[in-house]
Amino acid sequence: MNAPTHEHTDRHTNTHTSSPTTATTAAPAPEAIPPRDNDLARYDEFAERVRELCRVSPGVQSALRSGLGKPVTEVPARMHAALLRPGLIRENTESQGYADTERAYYAVAALIAARPRAQRLAEAPVVPAPRTDEDTAGTGTPAPAPENNDGAEPEVPDPETGTRFHPHGTSLGESFALAVGRRSPDELKSGAAESRLHLLVRQDLDGVHRMLPGVFRWLGSSGITPDYACLLRDLTAWRYRRDAVSTRWLQAFYRSLRRQEAAAEQQPTTPAT
């Protein structure tokens, strides 16, 4: 009985003391951050664990970077040690597509280790993404989830730099478009970035792995942090679902460019003096 009486008293007091001139507007509740898809959460965890190892051990970072652009059979022994001793990749050789999945993990780990110094310095420790019920990092070939990059989908912040990623993944195509927006408008007019993306999506598995280090150097020089988890998922599926993945990259690229151009048109122009 005491609780209802107390609640009634509080309501009565607030009604009695408030007035149109003294009432204050309550601050809006913070927007809830939508969670990542389950198939991306485990890849997010892998990327964060690699970043953490690079933060605490320059030797590990150097070991992972030594495998940049190389197939698994050609990376130095120290890269195997850096990935496998901490258990970052679980062995599941019976799984379909395991070799492609393993190669994708090695490639993304090397790309993370080779990211620009400015991005590394901007890092802050974060809580890793929760594991899925079946902690199967490095096993199987998950189907790429549909991506909605048409502006309506909410985004989640990347723990490394605050870049906002879509819950279904921010594809490399959108990262290309964001890089174009950061660079000279002449680059878009010349079609250099567009041509580079067109070449990338036409590659077979070996070709896309060869091109990625150069692509990521270009993105890094533009101040763009890619969605490593989304890339990892897409690389594991590249051999058998390249058409679906490349279509999503191209669609995301052009949709993002359209949004950036529309936003630029809405910016007020400063009259010449």
Side-chain angles (χ1 to χ4, degrees):
M1 296 296 294
N2 290 338
T5 303
H6 179 69
E7 182 182 357
H8 174 75
T9 302
D10 289 343
R11 287 201 305 267
H12 178 75
T13 302
N14 292 339
T15 303
H16 178 72
T17 57
S18 62
S19 67
T21 57
T22 59
T24 58
T25 303
E31 182 181 355
I33 297 176
R36 292 273 264 184
D37 285 355
N38 284 338
D39 69 319
L40 281 173
R42 62 179 176 222
Y43 297 138
D44 278 322
E45 181 183 16
F46 172 81
E48 175 52 31
R49 291 184 68 188
V50 170
R51 282 192 290 246
E52 177 61 23
L53 286 173
C54 292
R55 277 194 289 266
V56 301
S57 174
V60 168
Q61 181 184 336
S62 175
L64 294 177
R65 190 172 55 231
S66 68
L68 189 65
K70 299 176 182 177
V72 177
T73 55
E74 296 179 12
V75 304
R78 57 194 180 123
M79 184 178 190
H80 294 298
L83 281 174
L84 302 182
R85 289 191 69 180
L88 293 180
I89 303 176
R90 292 185 59 186
E91 184 178 13
N92 186 10
T93 55
E94 302 300 321
S95 175
Q96 180 184 7
Y98 174 75
D100 291 350
T101 300
E102 182 182 60
R103 184 176 185 179
Y105 274 85
Y106 272 73
V108 170
L111 290 169
I112 293 173
R115 65 204 184 284
R117 183 172 181 270
Q119 288 184 13
R120 299 198 306 269
L121 293 178
E123 290 180 357
V126 299
V127 178
R131 293 178 180 267
T132 57
D133 292 338
E134 297 178 1
D135 181 22
T136 55
T139 63
T141 305
E147 184 180 64
N148 175 9
N149 282 338
D150 203 17
E153 184 181 7
E155 299 171 324
V156 293
D158 167 43
E160 180 182 318
T161 62
T163 302
R164 299 188 73 81
F165 293 146
H166 299 296
H168 296 315
T170 298
S171 78
L172 201 56
E174 181 158 356
S175 295
F176 260 77
L178 294 174
V180 170
R182 294 277 185 93
R183 302 174 78 90
S184 168
D186 293 336
E187 184 152 357
L188 177 58
K189 294 178 182 178
S190 69
E194 185 176 19
S195 298
R196 192 173 200 171
L197 179 60
H198 286 188
L199 178 61
L200 182 64
V201 299
R202 293 197 302 268
Q203 300 299 309
D204 61 10
L205 187 63
D206 289 335
V208 76
H209 276 281
R210 280 196 302 269
M211 285 191 66
L212 281 176
V215 166
F216 271 62
R217 282 192 295 270
W218 175 72
L219 291 174
S221 68
S222 306
I224 301 299
T225 300
D227 187 340
Y228 293 107
C230 185
L231 174 66
L232 183 50
R233 182 190 64 190
D234 289 347
L235 285 179
T236 62
W238 192 264
R239 184 185 298 276
Y240 302 107
R241 300 185 180 91
R242 182 187 66 179
D243 289 346
V245 174
S246 61
T247 296
R248 289 191 293 107
W249 288 12
L250 291 169
Q251 289 177 338
F253 175 73
Y254 289 113
R255 285 170 173 162
S256 181
L257 285 182
R258 186 200 63 187
R259 291 196 300 270
Q260 292 183 70
E261 290 167 353
E265 291 174 357
Q266 294 176 1
Q267 293 293 329
T269 57
T270 303
T273 57

